[in-house]
Amino acid sequence: MEQKEDLLKEVISHAKEYGFVFPSSEIYDGLAATYDYGQLGSELKNNIKQYWWKSMVQMNDNIVGIDAAIFMHPTTWKASGHVDAFNDPLIDNKDSKKRYRADVLIEEHIEKIRQKINKEVEKAAKKFADAFDEAQFRATNPNVLRNEEKIKEIEDRMRVTLENNDLEGVKKLIEDLEIVCPISGSRNWTEVRQFNLMFSTELGSVAGDAATIYLRPETAQGIFVNFLNVQKSGRMKIPFGIAQIGKAFRNEIVARQFIFRMREFEQMEMQFFVRPGDEMKWYNHWKAARLAWHKALGLGDKYYREHDHIKLAHYANAASDIEFDFPMGFKELEGIHSRTDFDLKQHEQFSGKKLQYFDPELNQNYVPYVVETSVGLDRMFLAVMSASFKNEKLEDGSERAVLSLPAQLAPYKVAIMPLTKKDGLPEKATDILNDLRFDFNCQYDEKDSPGKRYRRQDAIGTPYCVMVDHQTLEDNTVTIRDRDTMLQERVAISELRAKIEGKVSWRNLLAK
Ligand code: ATP
């Protein structure tokens, strides 16, 4: 566990050192849960977007992409349920003035009890050594059983109070559990209130209530309100999908864990419109397709697990998360939701406009059902970075930090290096650079020893380094070094393009 926490710290500092991610407005000490993508981070992020866009939009005949505005008519959020129900229960400590999510405080309390149980198990494991039967111990030890029972009771009370919006009940639970504020150590709590997660602002030209508009908390609604525009102008036939990549904003109360939970983040969402009754078929289809998309990156299948929801959001009749083993443990990376006809029906009702599809095969009008896939771009970024980052011990005893990024996602595909800064080598290297940069994002590097330059490229995930030496001037060959194997091979300059293409081409990834 400790090792994994170290990994997050290492990834954060590596990301900063090499220009992937910076704390936002750092010269003013930063802004909580807000980050900027640097020169390499924006390349990596763009490549993740491309992978998604190519695979979802360009490789599918029946999916098209849009780019809707962040601001939408305020009634959108009434219709979607976000004004009334997009809430987190929050509680303040009067002494420290710190604000917490009430459910998170309770969950952390439960986690402490779990740790007690684990300690008990560890102690017994030591005591009984080889003779220890963990399952039996957990099933019979009175301390463990008592604590398990406690956890169950707390979870039940939390679920019931939250489901019934019984905020006094939630507070009573916090009091009964004697939960203290981690900062002040006191139990001097305010009432629990519902806190809407949407950011609002004012529209300049209108006065009064109508002036309040929101920063969209999800990109999905921009797709729903454009459903008929796209269907008609694109002559789309059901089943079909509309995809979008864009910013979303949520005033998260507990925002932490680097770019995992931010207040401004990016989503890659696709809404797939289907015949009523077909939704479970498509839900299962997209669950499998999305998991395969993640696994194709080759980070390792062990990083993924599926989590089917028991408690469903108000709009869903089935929902599942693809979870990723982040440095903080398994957490949601993508959600696949069967959203029924909830959103389109709501928009019909609130707008007074029909949002229906005429199905020529059935000779019938209906409001389509929707299956949604929604993945956080920033969470993808963190998943890719943290699974690719390694400190390797080499045979000669030295160490190297390497980002073994999937080649298609790497910011630079190849670094071109002259062995020395003289004898016409830089000129020759520049010629190669100027040719290859039409096809690949390349970097030129002539500073420091070759060994140091290789390490620098390893640290930013560049799959290939090309070294131009004196032999190059004689026979137009160069050495090309592979990031992962560190092996070098001599190839003709004329073969470079095909060689690099063989590794970094989107085709390799998309055909999987
Ligand atoms: P969580 O339970 O972690 O808050 P959610 O269930 O609210 O997430 P959805 O509303 O399903 O998330 O949003 C879809 C995707 O958007 C998530 O799977 C996640 O990858 C991403 N996402 C949601 N909230 C954030 C955030 N605050 N920062 C970064 N990414 C986010």
Side-chain angles (χ1 to χ4, degrees):
M1 192 63 199
E2 228 169 73
Q3 250 176 354
K4 286 190 99 184
E5 274 163 22
D6 288 348
L7 173 63
L8 183 63
K9 280 195 202 124
E10 280 186 85
V11 168
I12 295 172
S13 78
H14 192 84
K16 184 168 175 221
E17 183 179 347
Y18 288 95
F20 284 90
V21 183
F22 306 122
S24 165
S25 23
E26 198 188 6
I27 56 168
Y28 296 105
D29 296 332
L31 179 68
T34 317
Y35 292 90
D36 297 338
Y37 287 89
Q39 65 279 16
L40 293 189
S42 45
E43 294 285 349
L44 172 56
K45 202 170 165 206
N46 276 337
N47 291 338
I48 297 173
K49 283 194 216 178
Q50 264 206 57
Y51 176 38
W52 188 85
W53 193 266
K54 276 179 187 292
S55 146
M56 297 298 277
V57 179
Q58 298 177 346
M59 299 296 291
N60 280 301
D61 291 336
N62 58 349
I63 301 182
V64 291
I66 64 165
D67 184 10
I70 286 172
F71 291 138
M72 302 184 69
H73 192 285
T75 308
T76 309
W77 306 110
K78 266 272 173 215
S80 68
H82 283 84
V83 172
D84 296 322
F86 196 50
N87 298 322
D88 276 345
L90 72 83
I91 188 164
D92 293 16
N93 183 269
K94 290 184 199 160
D95 298 317
S96 69
K97 307 267 183 291
K98 282 275 169 200
R99 176 166 292 177
Y100 299 92
R101 252 171 74 175
D103 55 330
V104 171
L105 280 181
I106 299 167
E107 268 163 12
E108 284 173 356
H109 183 85
I110 293 174
E111 190 52 38
K112 280 195 194 134
I113 304 178
R114 274 217 181 92
Q115 280 168 8
K116 257 192 214 161
I117 298 178
N118 290 343
K119 278 226 178 86
E120 194 93 33
V121 174
E122 273 169 34
K123 224 170 63 191
K126 266 203 199 122
K127 193 164 139 197
F128 297 111
D130 287 348
F132 186 58
D133 178 344
E134 184 177 332
Q136 197 199 350
F137 182 79
R138 281 182 185 270
T140 53
N141 179 277
N143 284 342
V144 171
L145 291 178
R146 205 185 47 247
N147 279 323
E148 289 286 2
E149 185 57 29
K150 242 195 228 167
I151 290 177
K152 198 177 161 310
E153 248 172 59
I154 300 170
E155 281 179 340
D156 285 348
R157 264 180 81 182
M158 180 165 93
R159 201 190 56 250
V160 171
T161 47
L162 284 174
E163 273 177 6
N164 296 328
N165 203 19
D166 170 12
L167 300 181
E168 271 172 35
V170 178
K171 175 161 188 204
K172 181 90 183 28
L173 180 55
I174 289 176
E175 284 170 346
D176 289 351
L177 296 174
E178 301 186 349
I179 293 176
V180 299
C181 164
I183 310 273
S184 69
S186 87
R187 283 189 254 148
N188 194 6
W189 297 109
T190 62
E191 298 307 303
V192 177
R193 278 168 298 149
Q194 287 290 13
F195 178 78
N196 194 287
L197 295 182
M198 283 198 293
F199 282 102
S200 60
T201 184
E202 308 270 298
L203 205 61
S205 59
V206 195
D209 248 9
T212 301
I213 55 168
Y214 299 99
L215 298 184
R216 65 181 179 199
E218 62 175 27
T219 59
Q221 299 303 325
I223 293 178
F224 292 126
V225 298
N226 278 299
F227 159 69
L228 266 194
N229 281 338
V230 173
Q231 191 271 320
K232 291 212 161 111
S233 60
R235 291 175 294 119
M236 307 303 292
K237 286 203 175 56
I238 271 180
F240 74 90
I242 305 178
Q244 167 159 237
I245 299 176
K247 289 260 175 163
F249 303 82
R250 295 181 188 178
N251 202 354
E252 303 272 7
I253 302 162
V254 184
R256 54 174 180 211
Q257 293 170 330
F258 194 36
I259 54 175
F260 179 81
R261 188 178 300 287
M262 295 196 289
R263 300 207 166 95
E264 172 182 347
F265 58 101
E266 227 163 320
Q267 292 184 313
M268 306 190 284
E269 295 198 303
M270 192 274 299
Q271 311 294 326
F272 201 69
F273 299 90
V274 305
R275 260 185 208 163
D278 279 357
E279 68 274 13
M280 285 320 285
K281 181 179 93 188
W282 286 108
Y283 169 72
N284 289 323
H285 166 88
W286 283 112
K287 256 177 75 169
R290 293 303 304 149
L291 188 60
W293 181 89
H294 287 283
K295 288 187 174 172
L297 282 173
L299 300 174
D301 291 0
K302 66 172 197 287
Y303 282 105
Y304 304 91
R305 89 181 175 197
E306 289 179 282
H307 168 74
D308 293 331
H309 287 211
I310 307 164
K311 183 175 176 289
L312 297 169
H314 58 283
Y315 53 73
N317 69 359
S320 176
D321 295 337
I322 295 174
E323 295 185 340
F324 188 84
D325 194 4
F326 288 98
M328 319 75 83
F330 273 99
K331 299 221 177 268
E332 174 177 343
L333 170 62
E334 169 153 6
I336 293 104
H337 310 123
S338 174
R339 289 182 81 126
T340 68
D341 55 0
F342 175 83
D343 300 270
L344 289 179
K345 278 232 168 101
Q346 287 290 103
H347 286 305
E348 274 200 326
Q349 194 190 327
F350 278 77
S351 69
K353 312 258 163 47
K354 276 211 173 327
L355 293 175
Q356 302 195 350
Y357 171 79
F358 176 73
D359 193 323
E361 281 171 37
L362 299 181
N363 197 22
Q364 187 185 319
N365 275 310
Y366 54 77
V367 177
Y369 270 50
V370 173
V371 175
E372 162 184 82
T373 72
S374 173
V375 53
L377 176 53
D378 313 273
R379 287 191 191 177
M380 260 313 277
F381 188 106
L382 181 58
V384 169
M385 278 291 271
S386 55
S388 301
F389 178 78
K390 289 175 196 86
N391 269 316
E392 279 183 0
K393 259 221 156 6
L394 304 179
E395 273 171 19
D396 65 1
S398 64
E399 274 196 25
R400 70 162 183 165
V402 58
L403 267 189
S404 51
L405 297 172
Q408 291 81 358
L409 303 187
Y412 294 113
K413 307 305 180 205
V414 52
I416 323 279
M417 311 170 168
L419 185 64
T420 64
K421 277 193 246 179
K422 47 184 202 284
D423 304 334
L425 298 184
E427 290 75 8
K428 187 73 182 170
T430 308
D431 285 347
I432 298 174
L433 170 78
N434 284 338
D435 180 52
L436 289 180
R437 71 179 1 155
F438 283 104
D439 299 294
F440 313 110
N441 196 22
C442 307
Q443 193 175 49
Y444 179 80
D445 192 1
E446 59 173 26
K447 201 168 169 291
D448 300 323
S449 70
K452 268 199 182 155
R453 283 183 264 170
Y454 286 151
R455 289 291 170 275
R456 249 191 328 255
Q457 296 301 328
D458 290 343
I460 62 172
T462 310
Y464 282 130
C465 291
V466 165
M467 185 64 78
V468 174
D469 55 20
H470 292 90
Q471 191 182 329
T472 311
L473 302 179
E474 286 160 24
D475 64 4
N476 274 321
T477 63
V478 290
T479 62
I480 182 163
R481 173 187 177 271
D482 184 292
R483 174 195 69 197
D484 301 323
T485 63
M486 292 186 287
L487 294 177
Q488 300 178 31
E489 119 185 64
R490 194 132 205 129
V491 300
I493 292 172
S494 57
E495 288 167 22
L496 274 179
R497 203 177 127 204
K499 169 109 186 140
I500 300 164
E501 182 68 19
K503 183 153 210 157
V504 310
S505 129
W506 287 109
R507 175 182 285 266
N508 298 346
L509 195 50
L510 296 168
K512 272 191 197 170

